[in-house]
């Protein structure tokens, strides 16, 4: 693991949960915490619940959007305690740990947690490469936020003991920022070609986001795709 | 699993932790909780932290000694977040789950947790058949009690679920034939736009094949991609 594994908490309502999550990640040997638009932070309650992990809170990044939190991430995994009707690939926490450690050999990974009440929004899930589903009681799947963080961090730690890094990839994975630029470009080309109608572009764009996020393009592949879009846009032909 | 798996909390100091532990075991589908000489129980704080798992608290057995709690157990596993100098066999949480499920086919199992501050006493460990050691950061192994309960319960549930089939996909995966038709179409568009030079198209096409094969498009996604290519090809524009 050469690159950080970042725990990202989105719009957390209760500062106590932020503290408990900091403690959970530190017990498993992690320290990178990003808070997206927390309701209350810094907070005395968070410090109390963090117990001996106040250092993790002090070093936490606070940002306004999920996009900022994952800008440097090569793999973004969204956590869910329930199965969601979303078409991201679904991992269990053990598979998540394997994928995460493989990617962390070459680029930062973000594991993203939604709000206590509703979890991740569809828009947030559209920014993920995969979802991690924590198996739970179908009649009561209401895991505490910090418990979910604890389980994911535990699986990562468990896997680290067994893990041997795979072969280095030829090119680094595309970053979240590059993926956004690609999607903007794709949308432009789709409008210009008349394929997307301006009244309701969302549905098709979401489908395409899921497809490309699932593929986890590397930088070189993304350059090919951008080149293809540029070429289609200018309408140059050889013949 | 024909016999109960019982979670036993010994001399818990903070009633909030009892509530959080009840929630943790219920999320993983368990309901048998025994409290050995709790400092404060029943408790409003326990009920609050239990959230939707108050039923587990209401059904909890309260006893005076660990001996009473484990009287019917065929296997007693003591939980520890630190390695202890004790001569019980030591299991990791995954091994604990395997041993527990095997035993629960024929007799009740107890998983025993000590106090928040010092864990299990030597006398309590002497009543265990094995210890389960939760791997943790050697510099900060201070797991919250409910987090430890959550991890053990999670491993049990995971072991139970191992062969459960995953979610059915919404659309069937694209066939090899459809993928070939898509690649032919893509190549045609790339030549027409001037992006691919006729002398050596192979390299770029192979890269794109790898990318799309990795994404494993379903039939619906492939239709979107084909539609986009057709739209670019005819050059219709809406504006």
């Amino acid at each position: 693991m050469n690159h950080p594994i970042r725990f990202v908490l989105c719009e957390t309502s209760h500062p106590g949960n932020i503290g408990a999550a900091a403690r959970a990640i530190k017990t498993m040997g992690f320290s990178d915490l990003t808070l997206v638009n927390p309701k209350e932070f810094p907070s005395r309650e968070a410090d109390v619940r963090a117990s001996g992990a106040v250092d993790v809170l002090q070093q936490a990044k606070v940002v306004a959007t999920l996009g900022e939190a994952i800008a440097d991430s090569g793999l973004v995994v969204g956590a869910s305690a329930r199965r969601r009707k979303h078409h991201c690939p679904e991992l269990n926490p053990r598979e998540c740990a394997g994928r995460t450690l493989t990617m962390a050999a070459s680029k930062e990974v973000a594991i993203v947690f939604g709000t206590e009440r509703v979890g991740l929004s569809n828009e947030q899930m559209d920014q993920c490469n995969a979802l991690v589903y924590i198996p739970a009681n179908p009649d009561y799947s209401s895991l505490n936020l910090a418990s979910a963080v604890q389980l994911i961090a535990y699986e990562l730690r468990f896997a680290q003991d067994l893990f041997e890094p795979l072969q280095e990839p030829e090119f680094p994975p595309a970053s979240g920022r590059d993926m956004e630029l690609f999607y903007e470009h794709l949308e432009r080309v789709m409008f210009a070609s008349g394929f997307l109608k301006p009244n309701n572009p969302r549905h098709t764009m979401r489908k395409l986001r899921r497809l490309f996020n699932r593929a986890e393009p590397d930088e070189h592949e993304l350059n090919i795709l951008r080149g293809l879009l540029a070429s289609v846009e200018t309408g140059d032909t050889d013949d």
Side-chain angles (χ1 to χ4, degrees), chain A:
Chain A
M1 189 180 95
N2 305 314
H3 294 264
I5 296 172
R6 179 169 298 288
F7 290 79
V8 179
L9 307 185
C10 297
E11 288 143 36
T12 309
S13 301
H14 300 293
N17 287 333
I18 296 175
R23 177 175 178 178
I25 71 173
K26 186 170 177 182
T27 60
M28 295 296 141
F30 300 99
S31 56
D32 293 283
L33 179 65
T34 296
L35 306 173
V36 178
N37 196 22
K39 199 158 183 182
E40 185 188 335
F41 187 83
S43 140
R44 191 178 132 61
E45 197 185 340
D47 288 352
V48 169
R49 290 285 295 282
S51 185
V54 172
D55 56 324
V56 172
L57 293 180
Q58 284 165 346
Q59 294 157 27
K61 282 195 202 171
V62 180
V63 297
T65 65
L66 177 56
E68 291 170 71
I70 64 172
D72 296 319
S73 301
L75 174 68
V76 180
V77 184
S80 177
R82 289 169 290 133
R83 288 220 148 105
R84 305 289 284 260
K85 287 203 177 110
H86 195 273
H87 306 286
C88 259
E90 199 175 70
L91 309 173
N92 66 44
R94 202 154 300 163
E95 292 164 333
C96 167
R99 285 282 293 279
T100 296
L101 294 180
T102 303
M103 176 59 77
S106 52
K107 203 150 192 168
E108 180 176 302
V109 177
I111 320 255
V112 182
F113 298 81
T115 62
E116 291 94 332
R117 286 184 67 93
V118 295
L120 294 169
S121 68
N122 282 331
E123 196 193 349
Q124 288 167 332
M125 283 194 280
D126 288 343
Q127 295 178 73
C128 296
N129 302 105
L131 295 180
V132 53
Y133 166 71
I134 298 176
N137 180 354
D139 299 324
Y140 183 66
S141 63
S142 163
L143 258 88
N144 172 264
L145 173 61
S147 294
V149 171
Q150 182 77 68
L151 292 181
I152 301 297
Y154 157 80
E155 282 283 7
L156 285 164
R157 177 157 197 100
F158 202 99
Q160 276 174 340
D161 294 341
L162 311 168
F163 187 73
E164 277 175 48
L166 291 175
Q167 197 184 350
E168 280 279 311
E170 194 184 1
F171 298 98
S175 67
R177 189 184 297 111
D178 292 339
M179 289 302 292
E180 282 309 309
L181 293 170
F182 164 67
Y183 290 128
E184 287 168 20
H185 197 168
L186 178 63
E187 194 165 1
R188 225 154 54 225
V189 168
M190 292 203 295
F191 273 120
S193 74
F195 180 67
L196 275 192
K197 307 300 175 200
N199 48 338
N200 190 13
R202 289 292 108 209
H203 183 69
T204 303
M205 269 311 294
R206 286 189 61 195
K207 291 268 179 187
L208 288 171
R209 270 178 181 267
R210 284 178 201 159
L211 173 70
F212 284 106
N213 283 349
R214 202 163 68 221
E216 295 176 26
D218 66 32
E219 287 178 358
H220 183 68
E221 290 167 337
L222 206 65
N223 283 342
I224 295 176
L225 293 171
R226 292 293 299 271
L228 174 58
L229 289 175
S231 172
V232 164
E233 218 167 16
T234 57
D236 288 342
T237 54
D238 262 10
D239 47 26

